[in-house]
Amino acid sequence: MCGIVGYIGKKNGAIPVIDGLKRLEYRGYDSWGIAAKDSGRIDFHKQVGKIGAFELAKDLPEFSGNICIGHTRWATHGGVTEANSHPHFSCDNKIAVVHNGIIENYQELRKNLEAKGHKFRSQTDTEIIPHLIEEKLKEKHNLPSAVRLALKDLEGSYAVGVISQDDDILIGARKGSPLVLGIGNGEFFLGSDVPAFLKYTNKVIFLDENQMAILDQKNQSYKIMDVNTNKQLNPEIATIEWSLDEAEKGGHPHFMIKEMLEQPYVIEKTISVEANELKKAASMIKSAERIYIVACGTAMHAGMYGAYIFALRNNLIVQTISAGEFPYFEHLISTNDLIITVSQSGETADVLEAVRSAHRSGAKVLSLVNVMGSSLMRMSDMFLLTKAGPEICVLSTKAYVSQQAMFVMLSATLAGDITAGKKILQIAKNDIAKILKLMSLDKIKKLAREIATVPNIYAIGRGVNYPSALEGCLKIKEVSYIHAEGFAGGDLKHGPISLIEPGVPVLAFVANDGSDKEILSNAMEVKARGARVIGISFENNQVFDEYFPVAANGVYTPISAIVYTQLIAYFIALEKKLDPDKPRNLAKSVTVK
Ligand code: F6R
């Protein structure tokens, strides 16, 4: 939700900042804006819409400044207007602020500031920040102190970038929203995420909760302070191993297709996960009294798959809970429980809140997380890095496959046979590679073309393929805006079958795991009512109107089966001339509750 970027150095900062905003657009794309300080003056530009096609040299050739901040917005407070887009300014226009997060006490703060004569120009929660800083500056504090004191008044979450007309510094700070400091050669960068500045440096500091970075242009130095104690800190500098190429489209028209094509390689990475790490995680699972998997959206579907695998292969009862619903279970959690969280970004607010609540109850937290240095990684008692690489498309594809694969490795470790896990994943990897080669085949495109105009699509699966039905439909609805709903095959007769009418596409996921007879008879039931049955199955069957083959990999079949629905969703989006990387109303990282 919203991306922020900052630059301080000798260059025209607008260049890396615009570049960074384009890379962070997956975090929000309602509107964007930049502010730069050039010889004592702050200039700014704001625009409604995506930043994608904007070119600094052509569209705003005069705009420059060595200290620059930028923001790409996903609206929370206030509509999508130029006035509500960031940066926001103090009354005297000397302080400019970009912000990601939500200030919960902004109404009260705004009332107090208005009583002191401050005039507001937007409906955002963010705008109180520059006014608060302005107020602190009036009390004769220098800029870092004024920012620090202003931040202490805020309740809620923030990652901010602050510049001032009167100072040659850039300040960044975070609480609850991510912020990374990039350390270049005589220059510094701020970004909500590493790809924002990876082109310029791979040396980073992941700012921790309540930390503030003060970046000095003249001395080419940085200071990290604790916002609460005002003590100087000395955090570790990390080196990022992702290549820029991994974070870019690499010649593909969209990140979605690029990321889907990376899936065999992603599984390869999971196969090579450290045995010691797996054993440590497995021992946490073994010593837990009760185990809950907590995640959101796609990651939750991967968690559901994990719960089936634990039940079927390890005789473990594991409950999956959507992170947003976790607070209603908090009172049942106790010290001997284990919460397994799953998250691509490691910044999903509901997941982080569940971790805090688990810790309040004394439970341990094991996380499957993709982003190194993310809040979730740092808040967990233990984490396993899913190593899917940067996932930029708003739709999660390769991260899902890597999360499923990690559950397979964990289950194999629990069963004392890591090698078996590797073999299973090798089959899944080869099968995905095969499916992706078939990708160019007209069959998937033809199907996408034929179903792009239908109002409803359904999917059915049983056992391990129930999450496939849910995830397949989530992909389709997110990117094509077609109503798509997944059901457990056995649930059809309890209501949903009334939705079936002639011609409606129903995707049937079939695995050779002992559930095939039942799911095929569910497919018959919908076919008898006129549905067009699309089988994603280990073998063909006369009930299928179209058949997409997957390897017979038992309960592990879903890992490759899901790729078909990703491709179908992608091609429907193209058919409907929609941007698969940036579906409407969505943001990659949901940092609001
Ligand atoms: C769907 C999708 C979302 C995310 C969910 C959790 O394609 O991307 O449903 O899976 O918002 O995000 P993470 O995994 O970052 O916690």
Side-chain angles (χ1 to χ4, degrees), residues 125-430:
D125 52 339
T126 302
E127 200 186 349
I128 55 127
I129 305 174
H131 290 276
L132 262 182
I133 298 171
E134 184 175 34
E135 209 42 44
K136 307 288 177 194
L137 285 168
K138 282 186 201 155
E139 294 163 15
K140 303 283 173 240
H141 293 287
N142 62 15
L143 184 67
S145 301
V147 172
R148 194 177 73 78
L149 294 171
L151 294 177
K152 286 183 73 168
D153 287 350
L154 306 181
E155 283 167 21
S157 59
Y158 61 76
V160 289
V162 182
I163 60 173
S164 151
Q165 183 175 303
D166 298 333
D167 298 80
D168 292 329
I169 58 176
L170 163 63
I171 296 180
R174 68 155 285 187
K175 182 184 157 205
S177 298
L179 191 63
V180 193
L181 163 63
I183 302 170
N185 194 3
E187 56 188 6
F188 300 102
F189 305 84
L190 289 175
S192 298
D193 201 350
V194 173
F197 53 71
L198 192 56
K199 183 172 170 184
Y200 305 97
T201 181
N202 65 348
K203 299 274 178 275
V204 307
I205 291 177
F206 292 103
L207 292 183
D208 226 325
E209 287 296 89
N210 300 305
Q211 288 185 353
M212 179 167 120
I214 303 160
L215 314 172
D216 189 310
Q217 189 192 32
K218 284 203 182 104
N219 301 326
Q220 301 183 0
S221 63
Y222 70 90
K223 253 201 275 182
I224 311 289
M225 312 294 294
D226 184 305
V227 171
N228 292 329
T229 62
N230 201 22
K231 285 214 174 91
Q232 191 168 343
L233 306 160
N234 196 13
E236 209 181 304
I237 299 179
T239 304
I240 297 298
E241 284 166 19
W242 294 348
S243 66
L244 184 63
D245 200 39
E246 278 179 299
E248 288 190 329
K249 283 189 204 153
H252 298 289
H254 302 102
F255 281 110
M256 185 172 175
I257 188 74
K258 177 200 173 236
E259 289 164 6
M260 290 190 291
L261 289 169
E262 284 168 1
Q263 293 180 113
Y265 169 70
V266 161
I267 294 201
E268 194 61 60
K269 291 237 174 180
T270 316
I271 291 176
S272 62
V273 61
E274 282 274 323
N276 275 346
E277 293 293 290
L278 286 169
K279 284 180 188 159
K280 266 197 266 167
S283 86
M284 280 179 96
I285 294 175
K286 277 184 193 152
S287 54
E289 207 159 276
R290 284 172 302 189
I291 303 164
Y292 301 88
I293 298 180
V294 179
C296 295
T298 290
M300 188 187 73
H301 297 153
M304 285 175 74
Y305 175 72
Y308 276 106
I309 293 294
F310 286 151
L312 295 167
R313 288 287 173 261
N314 310 101
N315 294 322
L316 279 175
I317 300 178
V318 177
Q319 194 182 345
T320 310
I321 303 175
S322 170
E325 295 298 306
F326 189 71
Y328 311 106
F329 295 83
E330 182 181 345
H331 63 289
L332 298 173
I333 311 295
S334 68
T335 30
N336 297 329
D337 296 343
L338 175 69
I339 310 299
I340 303 180
T341 63
V342 190
S343 175
Q344 188 287 125
S345 62
E347 301 295 346
T348 301
D350 287 334
V351 175
L352 299 183
E353 193 45 47
V355 172
R356 285 184 203 106
S357 122
H359 279 154
R360 274 196 298 272
S361 311
K364 289 264 179 302
V365 175
L366 162 66
S367 292
L368 273 56
V369 58
N370 193 41
V371 177
M372 178 79 176
S374 58
S375 304
L376 181 62
M377 188 197 104
R378 284 175 293 153
M379 286 162 71
S380 305
D381 297 287
M382 190 194 162
F383 66 91
L384 289 170
L385 216 51
T386 44
K387 292 195 183 164
E391 193 179 63
I392 307 295
C393 173
V394 166
L395 278 83
S396 191
T397 54
K398 62 175 180 170
Y400 180 65
V401 161
S402 73
Q403 289 157 352
Q404 286 179 305
M406 192 60 91
F407 275 115
V408 170
M409 289 308 287
L410 262 178
S411 162
T413 312
L414 283 165
D417 194 353
I418 294 187
T419 315
K422 293 185 178 185
K423 280 190 191 146
I424 290 157
L425 291 186
Q426 197 61 48
I427 299 171
K429 179 196 144 184
N430 294 342

Side-chain angles (χ1 to χ4, degrees), residues 573-587:
L574 296 194
E575 197 57 42
K576 295 182 84 170
K577 311 243 174 313
L578 298 169
D579 180 351
D581 285 343
K582 298 187 192 93
R584 70 182 177 205
N585 304 339
L586 294 176

